[in-house]
């Protein structure tokens, strides 16, 4: 009761002219109901994640902070956007807006960022025509302006939107890594197309990735699948790919396709800092451990022989990993030098006329020595011997002894 | 000028007429799509080397469901799963069919989803592909409540609450 009395006194003071509207709002202890003013709302945006297990299947729901998503304060009465902002890396936001005290408002979280550092959008797509659709958004509970100081938002799996926010969050990891690894302060925008029920396929093309949302195979929470497709974006904007595209299943295939797919899988592993590729589906899913698996080439085969994408990922991972648990003789613990061969060599250099025409593992190995020198000769030779890949160590920089 | 007699002439005024030049146009479109760089350069995700489909037919008290799997290349092993049943096969050649059949009981008017999966590869390095088949009455799922909003910066959003 004393608090109500104080509020009433504050409101009375307002009414006699001390704070009747304008930019200042009511006194701190006054009831804001019906009082025009500038109000603030703060909160945290989270989404229900289903983190992949090492088997490839999805784990139980676990709320996760939603980093860098757009937020807007929406007036319930007319849908007007009162204020906009972006969540921080702790999922938090604060918005201030002009409203009438008590006015019903809600927070809209949008799986999109227009910040130059993280130019990401997650959109719907028309599965039949391929036409891009609307951005994914989720609305929180209604709050009263000036009355409720906080409004947290939890994007639920049951809404069908949590997958979109997970895709966005993985692409935040991608953009953050691009800025560091490739020194790109403003990466080229990347759009992801996904929605529950989407049977458009999972693939990358032209600065956009398409992700399945089908009942038998939904990639909305398959972090390494999302990151794998972003690996093709890296080839596209930071490096080079001559892959003919098409299906691939870990078996031996065109060396340009094997290189491109193996690099994309390795990129996913490097971003996560773990050598496991996981893909869930209605039957559980499957996984692949690039650190423990040893896929071999034909030791007497040509440099242009068909190879497995798995072998490419395994070689790259072994060159970049290190520390406790490293099972190879080459321990740098640094993936960036492996990744930078894309931008420092493959994108700009004339390739040696061996292997296939177009970028393949042989060209990347050439670039590895050109960009990193010959100190890794012994370690690289050891890893390639394990995989029985007959590289000739005759790179254009200077040959390994 | 009229085309061959086998072609259809739709005379409704608000529809396109299917005249003699439509068929060659379709052929040109299909060829253009099949040879376009965008179609050829799609970078798909890693997949399992197997084709999977589910077949069903009504039987007394439910449905008989069969999962049919065929590897796209020779594999050391195939493991089929269907509605909780499992069956393992040894080395299987490319294109060789492997099947598992179960009977799913279903009350009249009811419906259920049946999940089938085929895993192929070597022990410890299996990859699987799944299929889902709806039996009986269709799923009644109401779509989430959504509204389209356009933000002041021009972005169009489908908001779900």
């Amino acid at each position: 009761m004393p608090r109500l009395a104080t509020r009433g006194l504050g409101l009375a003071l307002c009414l006699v002219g001390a704070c009747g509207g304008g930019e200042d709002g009511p006194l701190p202890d006054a009831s804001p109901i019906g009082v025009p003013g500038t109000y603030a709302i703060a909160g945290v945006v989270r989404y229900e994640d289903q983190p992949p297990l090492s088997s490839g299947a999805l784990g139980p729901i676990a709320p996760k902070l939603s980093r860098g998503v757009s937020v807007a304060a929406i007036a319930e009465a007319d849908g007007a956007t009162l204020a906009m902002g972006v969540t921080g890396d702790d999922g938090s936001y604060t918005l201030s807006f002009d409203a009438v005290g008590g006015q019903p408002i809600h927070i809209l979280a949008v799986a999109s960022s227009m910040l130059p550092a993280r130019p990401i959008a997650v959109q719907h797509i028309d599965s039949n025509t391929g036409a891009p659709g609307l951005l994914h958004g989720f609305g929180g509970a209604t709050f009263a302006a000036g009355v409720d100081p906080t409004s947290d938002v939890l994007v639920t799996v049951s809404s069908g939107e949590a997958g979109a926010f997970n895709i966005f969050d993985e692409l935040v990891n991608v953009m953050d890594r691009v800025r560091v690894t490739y020194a790109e302060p403003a990466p080229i925008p990347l759009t992801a197309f996904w929605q529950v029920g989407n049977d458009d396929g999972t693939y990358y093309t032209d600065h956009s990735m398409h992700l399945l949302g089908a009942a038998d195979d939904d990639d909305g929470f398959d972090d390494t699948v999302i990151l794998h497709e972003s690996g093709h974006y890296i080839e596209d904007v930071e490096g080079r790919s001559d892959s003919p595209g098409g299906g691939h299943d870990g078996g031996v295939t065109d060396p340009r396709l094997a290189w491109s797919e193996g690099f994309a899988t390795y990129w996913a592993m490097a971003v996560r800092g773990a050598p496991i590729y996981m893909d869930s589906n209605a039957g559980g899913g499957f996984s692949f451990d690039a650190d423990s698996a040893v896929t071999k080439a034909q030791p007497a085969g040509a440099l242009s022989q068909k190879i497995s994408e798995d072998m490419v990922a395994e070689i790259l991972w072994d060159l970049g990993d290190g520390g406790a648990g490293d099972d190879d003789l080459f321990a740098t613990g640094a993936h960036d030098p492996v990744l930078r061969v894309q931008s420092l060599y493959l994108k700009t250099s004339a390739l040696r006329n061996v292997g296939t025409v177009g970028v393949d593992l042989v060209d990347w190995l050439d670039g590895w020595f050109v960009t990193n020198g010959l100190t890794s000769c012994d370690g690289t030779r050891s890893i390639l011997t394990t995989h029985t890949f007959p590289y000739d160590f005759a790179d254009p920089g200077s040959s390994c002894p | 000028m009229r085309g061959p007699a086998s072609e259809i002439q739709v005379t409704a005024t608000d529809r396109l007429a299917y005249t003699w030049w439509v068929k060659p146009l379709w052929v040109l479109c299909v060829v253009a799509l099949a040879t376009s760089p965008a179609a050829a350069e799609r970078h798909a995700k890693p997949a399992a080397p197997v084709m999977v489909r589910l077949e069903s037919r009504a039987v007394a008290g439910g449905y008989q469901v069969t999962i049919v799997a065929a590897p796209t290349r020779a594999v050391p092993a195939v493991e089929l799963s269907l509605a909780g049943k499992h069956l393992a096969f040894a080395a299987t050649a490319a294109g060789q069919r492997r099947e598992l059949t179960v009977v799913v009981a279903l009350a009249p008017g009811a419906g259920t989803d049946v999940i089938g999966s085929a895993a192929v590869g070597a022990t410890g390095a299996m990859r699987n592909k799944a299929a889902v088949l709806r039996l009986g009455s269709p799923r009644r799922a109401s779509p989430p409540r959504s509204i389209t909003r356009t933000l002041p910066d021009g972005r169009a959003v489908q908001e779900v609450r």
Side-chain angles (χ1 to χ4, degrees):
Chain A
M1 290 300 111
R3 177 160 179 76
L4 283 177
T6 306
R7 283 190 159 200
L9 177 61
L11 182 57
L13 288 172
C14 280
L15 292 176
V16 296
C19 58
E23 295 296 314
D24 297 327
L27 291 173
D29 287 339
S31 169
I33 303 298
V35 180
T38 300
Y39 297 98
I41 189 74
V44 175
V45 180
R46 297 179 178 85
Y47 69 93
E48 290 184 338
D49 190 16
Q50 290 188 263
L53 305 174
S54 58
S55 66
L58 296 182
I61 290 174
K64 189 175 180 183
L65 296 170
S66 207
R67 303 171 295 162
V69 297
S70 299
V71 288
I74 305 292
E76 299 286 18
D78 59 4
T81 302
L82 304 178
M84 292 181 62
V86 176
T87 62
D89 281 0
D90 58 358
S92 70
Y93 73 90
T94 302
L95 298 176
S96 61
F97 50 87
D98 292 338
V100 176
Q103 181 181 342
I105 295 169
H106 75 269
I107 295 298
L108 164 64
V110 184
S112 166
S113 168
M114 298 181 79
L115 297 179
R118 291 172 173 171
I120 307 163
V122 185
Q123 295 180 221
H124 293 257
I125 187 170
D126 186 319
S127 296
N128 296 317
T129 66
L134 302 170
L135 292 166
H136 283 273
F138 183 87
T142 301
F143 64 90
V147 176
D148 301 311
T150 62
S151 180
D152 293 342
V153 176
L154 177 64
V155 184
T156 59
V157 168
S158 62
S159 73
E161 294 299 305
F165 283 77
N166 182 65
I167 293 165
F168 183 95
D169 200 59
E170 289 304 319
L171 298 186
V172 166
N173 291 332
V174 170
M175 292 302 170
D176 290 357
R177 189 61 182 256
V178 167
R179 291 201 313 277
V180 172
T181 300
Y182 297 107
E184 290 280 7
I188 291 173
L190 177 58
T191 300
F193 295 101
W194 172 90
Q195 75 250 359
V196 171
N198 180 39
D199 57 3
D200 177 41
T202 289
Y203 60 92
Y204 171 86
T205 183
D206 194 21
H207 304 166
S208 65
M209 65 170 64
H210 298 239
L211 296 162
L212 280 165
D216 58 354
D217 193 356
D218 186 340
D219 290 329
F221 294 104
D222 288 336
D223 297 347
T224 50
V225 174
I226 299 163
L227 293 174
H228 170 95
E229 295 307 328
S230 77
H232 295 304
Y233 160 83
I234 296 300
E235 292 180 296
D236 192 3
V237 302
E238 301 294 344
R240 173 178 168 179
S241 172
D242 295 308
S243 170
H248 50 96
D249 56 22
V252 293
T253 187
D254 182 309
R256 299 166 301 171
L257 175 61
W259 159 254
S260 175
E261 299 301 336
F263 172 80
T265 296
Y266 167 69
W267 162 262
M269 295 170 174
V271 170
R272 285 172 54 88
I276 314 292
Y277 177 87
M278 300 159 285
D279 185 4
S280 74
N281 56 45
F286 67 87
S287 63
F288 159 64
D289 186 334
D291 197 34
S292 62
V294 178
T295 305
K296 297 186 177 184
Q298 296 294 330
L303 285 176
S304 59
Q305 68 178 280
K306 290 183 176 180
I307 58 173
S308 163
E309 62 184 297
D310 293 352
M311 186 188 76
V312 171
E314 293 161 17
I315 290 172
L316 297 181
W317 178 263
D318 280 344
L319 285 168
D321 71 348
D326 189 5
D327 62 353
D328 57 79
L329 298 176
F330 187 66
T332 63
H335 292 292
D336 278 351
V338 179
L339 296 168
R340 287 192 188 115
V341 176
Q342 284 280 2
S343 58
L344 298 179
Y345 182 79
L346 296 180
K347 185 174 185 176
T348 55
S349 301
L351 305 181
R352 191 158 60 109
N353 189 22
V354 294
T356 52
V357 176
V359 173
D360 59 10
L361 177 60
V362 174
D363 299 308
W364 183 88
L365 286 164
D366 286 353
W368 170 249
F369 291 117
V370 169
T371 57
N372 290 280
L374 302 180
T375 57
S376 68
C377 282
D378 289 344
T380 305
R381 193 186 303 276
S382 167
I383 290 169
L384 293 179
T385 299
T386 300
H387 294 277
T388 64
F389 184 68
Y391 179 61
D392 60 1
F393 290 90
D395 62 278
S398 57
S399 302
C400 280
Chain B
M1 179 178 175
R2 289 184 58 90
S6 63
E7 289 169 1
I8 303 165
Q9 186 80 34
V10 178
T11 55
T13 54
D14 59 344
R15 295 182 181 180
L16 282 175
Y18 192 91
T19 51
W20 63 271
W21 50 267
V22 172
K23 188 183 285 182
L25 188 62
W26 270 108
V27 171
L28 284 173
C29 289
V30 169
V31 169
L33 283 172
T35 57
S36 69
E41 294 173 3
R42 283 184 172 184
H43 301 279
K45 70 171 180 173
V50 63
M51 303 288 287
V52 180
R53 73 169 188 274
L54 297 178
E55 300 172 347
S56 71
R57 68 182 182 88
V59 296
Y63 289 83
Q64 177 177 292
V65 184
T66 299
I67 179 172
V68 180
T72 54
R73 58 178 164 87
V75 293
V78 176
E79 294 178 2
L80 301 182
S81 302
L82 180 62
K85 307 287 189 203
H86 305 279
L87 188 59
F89 298 88
T92 303
Q96 185 179 357
R97 288 165 59 111
R98 299 296 197 185
E99 298 182 7
L100 169 61
T101 298
V102 302
V103 173
V104 178
L106 198 63
T112 188
D113 288 329
V114 173
I115 297 172
S117 170
V120 298
T123 303
M126 306 284 278
R127 292 184 176 197
N128 83 316
K129 187 173 288 182
V132 177
L133 181 66
R134 181 72 182 175
L135 299 177
S137 60
R139 179 187 295 275
R140 288 177 186 161
S142 54
R145 190 165 62 103
S146 69
I147 187 170
T148 299
R149 299 192 188 281
T150 302
L151 300 177
D153 57 21
R155 285 180 289 174
V157 183
Q158 181 172 314
E159 177 186 342
V160 174
R161 296 185 77 182

